[in-house]
Amino acid sequence: MKAAVLTAFGAPLTIGELPDPVPAADELLVLVRSVTINRALDQAVCGGRWPVPPPLPHVPGIDPAGEIVAVGSAVTTWSVGDRVAFGSVRCGRCAACSTTHDSLCVAARMPGVACWGGMAELVALPARAAFRIPPDVSFVDAAFAVRHGGLALHMLGHAFHDKRVLVTGASGALGSAAVQLARAQGADVTGWVGSEAKRAALANGSFAVGAVGSGTDFALAVETTGTPDVWQAAFAALTLGGSLIGSSGAGSVALDLRRLYTRR
């Protein structure tokens, strides 16, 4: 199969030939139709900045979607031709996996991080990590939704009808999912973006779009960038008693404890 291969950390990916993967008893072999490029995870892995670097050569690609072309001998719930998208592979045995909080699995493995991912013609992954794609959903939308849709829903947490919600990085995958879900809950949404080109691309009138620092008195800030200055600006834009939720694999940010205390 052809694949985008990482042969050295920090080096460009190369297109090369690799042996076709053979599915284990509990796995699905999938013809990849779409895969995401994850700003935080793919860049960290390929740049050698992931805490546990994968062995080389490595195939990145976090959230592949495609069609099943073969099933392992122990798989009974999937068939050749089924359309699937993959998220993280949970262990199915830890305390988190026995609850509705399996996203906290202590032994979760992400395709493209801990094992070969979807930047290839074929990928073999455990059937328990597969999600069935509805007929009216494209492979592109499924690859996006399987991680970022669920994460955005988890971050929003509860209804914000008629509340002011800020979403940073509103043009990104996670940010755009948060914008759509918050609007579906009836929130008054403002999205922050980092360039005029991104602002123009999102300026369709369905929600307010502005530069970092525009707007105040938000009941909730969904911070998706992990950039220190954006994080601080979002924190400063909260209303009294507002909440900030962040999800990013970036570095560290400072926290103004005095403001946290007085604006709690």
Side-chain angles (χ1 to χ4, degrees), residues 29-117:
L29 182 64
V30 171
L31 178 66
V32 178
R33 298 296 192 183
S34 179
V35 66
T36 64
I37 298 176
N38 189 291
R39 181 179 66 89
L41 298 175
D42 284 324
Q43 287 188 359
V45 170
C46 294
R49 299 186 301 276
W50 193 250
V52 183
L56 299 176
H58 179 68
V59 178
I62 307 298
D63 304 305
E67 298 168 300
I68 298 174
V69 293
V71 299
S73 59
V75 175
T76 59
T77 56
W78 296 99
S79 301
V80 171
D82 286 345
R83 303 166 73 245
V84 295
F86 288 98
S88 293
V89 181
R90 320 296 189 200
C91 74
R93 299 182 301 273
C94 68
C97 283
S98 66
T99 71
T100 57
H101 300 291
D102 64 343
S103 61
L104 301 177
C105 173
V106 297
R109 296 183 302 124
M110 283 183 284
V113 177
C115 57
W116 282 10

Side-chain angles (χ1 to χ4, degrees), residues 6 34 36 67 72 74 95 107 111 165 177 193 248 259-260 264:
L6 179 69
S34 179
T36 64
E67 298 168 300
V165 172
V193 293
S248 172
R259 183 175 180 85
L260 178 65
R264 65 189 184 279

Side-chain angles (χ1 to χ4, degrees), residues 19-252:
D20 289 356
V22 177
D26 65 339
E27 290 185 332
L28 305 174
L29 182 64
V30 171
L31 178 66
V32 178
R33 298 296 192 183
S34 179
V35 66
T36 64
I37 298 176
N38 189 291
R39 181 179 66 89
L41 298 175
D42 284 324
Q43 287 188 359
V45 170
C46 294
R49 299 186 301 276
W50 193 250
V52 183
L56 299 176
H58 179 68
V59 178
I62 307 298
D63 304 305
E67 298 168 300
I68 298 174
V69 293
V71 299
S73 59
V75 175
T76 59
T77 56
W78 296 99
S79 301
V80 171
D82 286 345
R83 303 166 73 245
V84 295
F86 288 98
S88 293
V89 181
R90 320 296 189 200
C91 74
R93 299 182 301 273
C94 68
C97 283
S98 66
T99 71
T100 57
H101 300 291
D102 64 343
S103 61
L104 301 177
C105 173
V106 297
R109 296 183 302 124
M110 283 183 284
V113 177
C115 57
W116 282 10
M119 290 188 185
E121 292 180 304
L122 296 166
V123 65
L125 290 167
R128 66 180 180 275
F131 295 86
R132 192 177 302 276
I133 303 175
D136 58 342
V137 175
S138 70
F139 290 116
V140 171
D141 288 344
F144 153 76
V146 73
R147 179 173 305 277
H148 295 99
L151 179 55
L153 185 62
H154 177 71
M155 292 174 72
L156 287 168
H158 50 86
F160 279 89
H161 183 68
D162 291 336
K163 299 290 182 63
R164 286 174 52 75
V165 172
L166 167 67
V167 178
T168 68
S171 61
L174 180 56
S176 61
V179 166
Q180 293 175 66
L181 288 168
R183 290 187 61 242
Q185 293 182 12
D188 177 11
V189 179
T190 294
W192 285 356
V193 293
S195 70
E196 178 59 28
K198 293 177 180 179
R199 190 205 66 77
L202 296 180
N204 59 13
S206 61
F207 66 101
V209 184
V212 173
S214 58
T216 58
D217 296 324
F218 296 103
L220 173 68
V222 179
E223 210 298 286
T224 72
T225 71
T227 307
D229 59 340
V230 178
W231 200 97
Q232 295 287 2
F235 183 53
L238 292 173
T239 191
L240 185 67
S243 301
L244 185 148
I245 302 173
S247 178
S248 172
S252 301

